[in-house]
């Protein structure tokens, strides 16, 4: 047997004969020829089987293999610029490792609920493969950033006795007969550890009971929470920006094939490598309401323009669908042409449902822009309006203290505001990071704990941190799945994690 290699390494084996091991991801046949798209986890490549180069038995085996059969292939690697990986394999021999009968996911369009039910298999598909590889690059990049900046990684507990982010989303569980909660955030423990280590970060699962279906909320998600002693809110923002730009750069440098596979237009990722605009809540509200322009553009004008363009786009798609359908109805087309038109129609219908969704959303965005009430927290719509005006994430800080968490520091110059910062991703994605400077005044903290109706006894240890050598400190929480969703430009957060847990979904 020749040398076993990974598909991702094939370009360095051009001209030689190697062994590949993987699964049949796709297959096409013609007269005397079969094309197998082989995947091995590291990549995908086209393998060509002919009788001349191999033999009749191998050709027939190739023609008979079904989707997701596991196989070993020996073949010669040839350069081919038309292929995504830049190579093609001329097959000499094929051996079947494991049969695959009636694989449930076919090339035809499946509904998302069906695919979610088949998540354990769906992960094998090209697009899901690419997303998971990008997720992996992001995770590695985050660790590299913090380790290189000399942060100490810490693991916060999952069973907790306190609510960090409000009581409405707590998952209660039984801890030896006493109530306990699944952690919503490791932050409070991170603060304790930062007083021991200086700079720390957590990287762990967090849980929130979000009792509705949205495209941004999971019940179980992974959060990265750094906490830094002697950092104020501005140093905190520098760290957020440094970390996110490191992540974006690593994805751009290492995931070109994956980004192409999912069809990600990377221009916004590239423009996010310049510094992120920073603005106070006050300024952000003015921008949302159209009282302040961004690069000469007012929110309301932008949205009205978008509404007009989207309506025109809908008309265009509708007439194109009609046109294709009438061509099929006229008859006289070859089977291949009918398939071509049918595929095109399905694609157009998908586009149409996106456009229709925009048409439902834009009036809500306009409503945000026209009627946002100063003092409120931002909802998804408000975030969309704001971020549509920028081509990179934006940071909004100094929020009305009433709408933010109990632990945020009051702005010493204006006590109406708490020193929280939210980072909102562009292209309509909204919040990916929430953080801020922490309150150091123990009396203000106690007041806030009462105001939020939290049980004081669960916070005694936390208050100790303000009694014994309290220092200014800051931190933030990055929602991993939110970042993956934005970087991959996914429609829904459920595709950003291998096995999503969310309202209405516990299996597989
Ligand atoms: O803004 P949040 O609630 O902040 C905290 O938990 C702080 N304790 C973080 C800190 O300062 N250490 O959550 C932080 C981030 C959000 O910006 C969002 O990206 C993500 O966590 N997030 C969720 N992601 C998916 N599903 C959910 N249900 C999420 N809730 C929050
Ligand atoms: Mg938040």
């Amino acid at each position: 047997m020749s040398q076993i290699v990974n598909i991702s390494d094939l370009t360095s084996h051009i001209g030689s004969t190697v062994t590949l091991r993987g699964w049949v991801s796709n297959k096409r046949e013609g007269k005397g020829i079969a094309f197998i798209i082989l995947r091995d986890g590291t990549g995908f490549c086209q393998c060509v089987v002919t009788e001349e180069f191999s033999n009749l038995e191998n050709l027939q085996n190739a023609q008979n293999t079904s989707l997701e059969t596991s196989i070993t292939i020996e073949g010669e690697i040839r350069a081919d610029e038309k292929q995504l990986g830049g190579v093609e394999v001329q097959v000499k021999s094929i051996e079947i490792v494991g049969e695959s009968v009636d694989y449930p996911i076919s090339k035809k369009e499946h509904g998302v609920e069906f695919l979610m039910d088949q998540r354990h298999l769906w992960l094998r598909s090209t697009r899901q493969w690419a997303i998971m590889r990008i997720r992996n690059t992001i995770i590695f990049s985050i660790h590299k950033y913090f380790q290189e900046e000399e942060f100490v990684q810490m693991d916060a507990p999952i069973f907790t006795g306190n609510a960090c982010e409000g009581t409405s989303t707590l998952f209660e569980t039984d801890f030896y007969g006493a109530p306990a909660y699944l952690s919503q955030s490791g932050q409070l423990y991170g603060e304790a550890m930062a007083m021991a280590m200086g700079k720390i970060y957590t990287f762990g699962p967090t849980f929130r009971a979000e009792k509705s279906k949205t495209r941004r909320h999971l019940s179980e998600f992974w959060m990265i929470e750094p906490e830094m002693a002697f950092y104020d809110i501005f140093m905190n923002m520098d760290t957020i920006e440094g970390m996110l730009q490191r992540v974006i750069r690593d994805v751009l440098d290492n995931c070109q094939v994956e980004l192409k596979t999912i069809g990600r237009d990377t221009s916004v990722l590239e423009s996010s490598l310049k510094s992120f605009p920073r603005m106070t809540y006050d300024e952000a509200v003015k921008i949302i309401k159209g009282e302040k322009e961004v690069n000469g553009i007012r929110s309301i004008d932008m949205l009205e323009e978008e509404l007009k363009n989207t309506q025109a786009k809908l008309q265009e798609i509708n007439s194109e669908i009609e046109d294709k359908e009438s061509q099929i109805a006229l008859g006289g087309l070859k089977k291949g042409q009918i398939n071509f038109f049918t595929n095109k129609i399905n694609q157009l219908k998908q586009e149409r449902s996106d456009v229709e969704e925009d048409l439902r959303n834009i009036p809500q965005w306009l409503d945000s822009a026209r009627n946002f009430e100063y003092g409120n927290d931002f909802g998804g719509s408000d975030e969309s309006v704001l971020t549509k005006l920028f081509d990179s994430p934006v940071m909004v800080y100094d929020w009305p203290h009433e709408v933010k968490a109990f632990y945020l520091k009051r702005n010493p110059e204006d006590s109406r505001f708490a020193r929280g910062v939210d980072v909102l991703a562009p292209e309509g994605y909204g919040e990916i990071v929430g953080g801020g400077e922490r309150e150091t005044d123990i009396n203000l903290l106690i007041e806030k704990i009462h105001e939020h109706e939290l049980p004081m006894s669960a916070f005694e240890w936390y208050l100790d941190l303000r009694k014994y050598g309290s220092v200014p400190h800051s931190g933030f929480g990055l929602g991993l799945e939110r970042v993956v969703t934005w970087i991959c430009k996914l429609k829904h957060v459920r595709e950003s994690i291998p096995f999503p847990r969310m309202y209405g979904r516990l299996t597989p």
Side-chain angles (χ1 to χ4, degrees):
M1 199 172 67
S2 50
Q3 189 190 353
I4 297 171
V5 298
N6 288 334
I7 290 175
S8 58
D9 294 333
L10 283 183
T11 43
S12 48
H13 294 274
I14 290 168
S16 20
T17 295
V18 300
T19 297
L20 299 169
R21 303 186 298 187
W23 295 261
V24 175
S25 163
N26 212 340
K27 193 193 65 176
R28 274 184 304 128
E29 316 145 49
K31 223 190 200 146
I33 196 162
F35 298 94
I36 287 175
I37 304 293
L38 185 75
R39 58 168 197 87
D40 72 348
T42 73
F44 292 74
C45 72
Q46 173 157 288
C47 305
V48 188
V49 195
T50 58
E51 190 178 341
E52 298 77 67
F53 200 79
S54 181
N55 59 40
L56 185 62
E57 191 192 338
N58 281 326
L59 175 62
Q60 285 169 343
N61 276 342
Q63 286 168 333
N64 293 333
T65 57
S66 47
L67 286 186
E68 291 304 322
T69 301
S70 45
I71 56 175
T72 304
I73 278 183
E74 186 165 55
E76 191 182 304
I77 311 307
R78 297 190 176 167
D80 182 349
E81 296 206 333
K82 292 194 301 288
Q83 304 296 328
L84 188 56
V87 295
E88 188 176 74
V89 183
Q90 276 291 333
V91 177
K92 288 187 171 160
S93 66
I94 296 185
E95 221 175 283
I96 290 183
V97 179
E99 298 283 354
S100 164
V101 182
D102 297 335
Y103 187 67
I105 302 175
S106 61
K107 273 182 272 180
K108 73 169 201 285
E109 290 277 313
H110 293 290
V112 177
E113 280 307 309
F114 172 82
L115 290 168
M116 288 310 299
D117 287 339
Q118 303 292 332
R119 184 65 173 164
H120 52 298
L121 302 175
W122 189 25
L123 288 167
R124 302 178 183 196
S125 75
T126 333
R127 190 177 157 78
Q128 301 305 314
W129 168 85
I131 295 167
M132 289 303 130
R133 301 265 302 189
I134 293 171
R135 178 183 166 106
N136 178 62
T137 297
I138 292 172
I139 291 171
F140 191 34
S141 179
I142 290 169
H143 278 296
K144 280 191 289 195
Y145 176 80
F146 285 118
Q147 293 291 337
E148 284 167 20
E149 298 286 326
E150 297 181 38
F151 284 62
V152 173
Q153 197 273 341
M154 76 162 280
D155 301 308
I158 303 297
F159 284 121
T160 68
N162 49 45
C164 182
E165 297 301 325
T167 49
S168 65
T169 62
L170 283 172
F171 271 112
E172 195 173 323
T173 175
D174 176 288
F175 192 73
Y176 306 114
Y181 309 108
L182 299 183
S183 179
Q184 297 168 307
S185 157
Q187 177 194 321
L188 305 184
Y189 302 97
E191 287 186 49
M193 194 72 160
M195 299 303 124
M197 300 289 165
K199 297 194 290 188
I200 64 90
Y201 71 107
T202 70
F203 199 131
T206 44
F207 305 86
R208 299 203 191 167
E210 309 273 4
K211 296 184 206 78
S212 65
K213 290 188 178 173
T214 80
R215 51 179 64 226
R216 334 199 277 166
H217 292 95
L218 293 165
S219 307
E220 178 179 299
F221 62 98
W222 287 70
M223 189 151 51
I224 296 88
E225 295 185 272
E227 196 67 37
M228 298 79 76
F230 299 105
Y231 271 46
D232 66 12
I233 190 176
F234 300 100
M235 297 161 82
N236 199 21
M237 288 195 261
D238 292 343
T239 307
I240 299 173
E241 186 177 293
M243 175 202 62
L244 281 173
Q245 291 188 337
R246 170 68 187 265
V247 164
I248 295 165
R249 214 173 307 116
D250 282 348
V251 169
L252 287 171
D253 287 350
N254 299 303
C255 300
Q256 279 306 319
V257 169
E258 290 86 346
L259 290 165
K260 271 205 198 96
T261 300
I262 60 176
R264 176 58 157 133
D265 167 5
T266 55
S267 55
V268 171
L269 300 180
E270 271 140 31
S271 58
S272 298
L273 294 173
K274 64 181 186 336
S275 58
F276 302 166
R278 297 179 187 188
M279 64 195 79
T280 60
Y281 171 87
D282 251 35
E283 284 176 83
V285 171
K286 288 196 179 99
I287 293 172
I288 290 172
K289 293 175 78 72
E291 292 161 7
K292 187 176 168 178
E293 295 179 351
V294 178
N295 298 324
I297 300 171
R298 250 168 35 102
S299 66
I300 295 176
D301 300 338
M302 166 195 73
L303 293 167
E304 281 171 347
E305 176 86 16
E306 194 174 338
L307 186 60
K308 248 192 283 161
N309 292 343
T310 314
Q311 281 160 341
K313 177 101 198 169
L314 180 65
Q315 270 182 352
E316 205 178 288
I317 292 174
N318 276 336
S319 66
E320 217 180 320
I321 292 176
E322 249 169 64
D323 180 56
K324 298 270 177 317
E325 280 174 341
S326 63
Q327 289 201 50
I328 295 177
L330 274 175
L333 294 177
K334 292 210 183 90
K335 198 175 154 211
Q337 286 172 308
I338 295 177
N339 277 345
F340 180 78
F341 282 135
T342 315
N343 282 340
K344 186 75 200 170
I345 289 169
N346 286 338
Q347 201 185 320
L348 285 164
K349 284 184 175 165
Q350 183 56 54
E351 261 176 62
R352 180 170 65 185
S353 83
D354 293 348
V355 167
E356 282 169 344
E357 173 153 12
D358 283 345
L359 283 176
R360 284 192 296 275
N361 283 331
I362 297 170
Q364 289 180 31
W365 297 335
L366 270 166
D367 183 58
S368 277
R370 293 196 178 112
N371 305 317
F372 181 84
E373 259 181 63
Y374 185 91
N376 284 352
D377 200 356
F378 291 174
S381 251
D382 312 313
E383 292 180 358
S384 291
V385 177
L386 180 65
T387 56
K388 274 171 173 296
L389 290 153
F390 297 91
D391 63 354
S392 76
V394 298
M395 305 210 234
V396 181
Y397 65 97
D398 276 2
W399 293 75
H401 72 88
E402 297 88 349
V403 301
K404 288 288 177 195
F406 77 92
Y407 50 70
L408 288 174
K409 184 183 177 68
R410 214 65 70 79
N411 181 346
E413 262 119 59
D414 188 341
S415 68
R416 291 174 299 160
F417 299 105
R419 305 232 91 167
V421 51
D422 276 7
V423 180
L424 312 176
E427 301 173 288
Y429 280 90
E431 184 184 342
I432 53 175
V433 171
E437 189 170 338
R438 315 311 186 190
E439 186 56 81
T440 44
D441 180 329
I442 193 166
N443 294 320
L444 276 177
L445 263 179
I446 291 172
E447 203 177 286
K448 273 283 171 189
I449 292 171
H450 282 306
E451 195 184 302
H452 286 249
E453 296 178 2
L454 297 166
M456 194 59 71
S457 61
F459 292 92
E460 295 293 352
W461 68 265
Y462 181 69
L463 294 173
D464 274 357
L465 306 177
R466 280 28 177 203
K467 291 182 196 158
Y468 305 109
S470 179
V471 298
H473 63 290
S474 296
F476 62 89
L478 169 81
L480 176 63
E481 288 74 21
R482 294 269 181 97
V483 171
V484 174
T485 301
W486 169 55
I487 288 186
C488 294
K489 205 169 179 183
L490 307 178
K491 282 192 204 135
H492 197 295
V493 71
R494 68 188 154 212
E495 284 181 49
S496 67
I497 183 166
F499 292 95
R501 294 292 175 254
M502 59 198 182
Y503 190 64
R505 169 79 46 199
L506 185 61
T507 56

